[in-house]
Amino acid sequence: MPKLTFIGHAAFLLEDDQGNAVAIDPFVEHNPATTLTAREIKAGTILLTHAHNDHVGDTVEIAQNNDAKVICVVELGDWLEGKGVRDVVGANHGGTVEFPGGTVKFVPAWHSSSFTLEDGSAVAPGVPAGLVVRFGGTTYYFAGDTALFGDMRLIGEEGIDVAILPIGDHFTMGPADAARAAELVGAGTVIPCHYNTFPPIRQDPEAFRAAVAKRAPGTEVVVLAPGETYGG
Ligand code: NI
Ligand code: MN
């Protein structure tokens, strides 16, 4: 199984044993959950769920440092090209894109998608997505920021090994709805994210663990602290 590292918030790094590395939503420099710097993120592929600043994060710098390919929803990709990212692949819901070591399929997410500039104005490139990532023989579902929705059952039919679900509430589903999502997806393992980074999304992951034990008793909950890994 590849090594999945929780950078913090909703940022993850996937590494296989062939030297392929994938950064997902690499929010690093302004991420209160990590002391890492953008310079320390080594990845040949960057996958983005949506345009919000706490997900696009340091994509431009990391892409330039690593000559990385960025794969995201097409309008966000066009916007990133304008910011100086050279290798962008734009996709959309239902589509699958290959990258070194794996594939990503874009699936729906119920959320919004805009990037707030330093002057406070927002540009709104594209729509939010979840990501079904097949990598190193393991299938991951990065739900991105989303509410609970019934078609998570269809996503579960993809055969998800590891589901990464937001539990923070306020901007996404909270622990109770995330436990219902775990039931719909039916993954072997669920990893909570997008909580405890900022005051409005303070949550107890143990409450989520208890809710999943009731709704989806076949699903194991793995709580990762920033910097911790799963698999590898
Ligand atoms: Ni968001
Ligand atoms: Mn977010």
Side-chain angles (χ1 to χ4, degrees):
M1 182 184 269
K3 182 165 83 173
L4 178 68
T5 302
F6 183 39
I7 294 171
H9 191 53
F12 289 85
L13 187 69
L14 262 178
E15 297 165 280
D16 69 10
D17 55 12
Q18 314 288 313
N20 298 304
V22 184
I24 296 100
D25 286 352
F27 169 52
V28 182
E29 296 276 339
H30 297 289
N31 184 344
T34 183
T35 55
L36 286 172
T37 62
R39 172 66 57 181
E40 292 172 278
I41 305 300
K42 307 289 183 207
T45 303
I46 299 171
L47 306 179
L48 300 178
T49 60
H50 64 295
H52 284 157
N53 299 53
D54 60 320
H55 297 260
V56 167
D58 305 286
T59 293
V60 173
E61 182 183 342
I62 295 167
Q64 288 172 345
N65 289 346
N66 294 272
D67 243 328
K69 179 191 297 290
V70 177
I71 309 175
C72 58
V73 166
V74 63
E75 292 85 358
L76 174 56
D78 290 345
W79 184 78
L80 287 168
E81 278 185 325
K83 291 284 173 191
V85 179
R86 286 183 298 272
D87 190 359
V88 172
V89 179
N92 218 321
H93 297 152
T96 299
V97 175
E98 289 184 27
F99 59 83
T103 63
V104 55
K105 181 175 183 179
F106 284 76
V107 296
W110 276 101
H111 191 62
S112 58
S113 185
S114 63
F115 189 91
T116 304
L117 303 171
E118 278 177 16
D119 68 4
S121 63
V123 292
V127 293
L131 311 172
V132 175
V133 177
R134 293 186 162 85
F135 186 71
T138 301
T139 301
Y140 302 86
Y141 169 42
F142 293 89
D145 285 2
T146 187
L148 174 69
F149 56 96
D151 284 351
M152 285 178 173
R153 185 181 301 282
L154 296 179
I155 295 168
E157 289 175 7
E158 302 272 342
I160 307 298
D161 299 304
V162 183
I164 295 89
L165 303 178
I167 68 160
D169 213 331
H170 197 100
F171 303 111
T172 68
M173 55 190 177
D177 279 359
R180 296 168 73 192
E183 182 181 12
L184 291 173
V185 173
T189 300
V190 165
I191 297 172
C193 70
H194 211 276
Y195 67 97
N196 288 354
T197 320
F198 312 108
I201 58 173
R202 196 162 289 143
Q203 295 295 339
D204 176 7
E206 294 307 322
F208 172 66
R209 190 196 300 279
V212 171
K214 281 197 183 134
R215 299 227 44 140
T219 296
E220 171 197 28
V221 175
V222 174
V223 175
L224 298 178
E228 288 187 338
T229 63
Y230 176 71

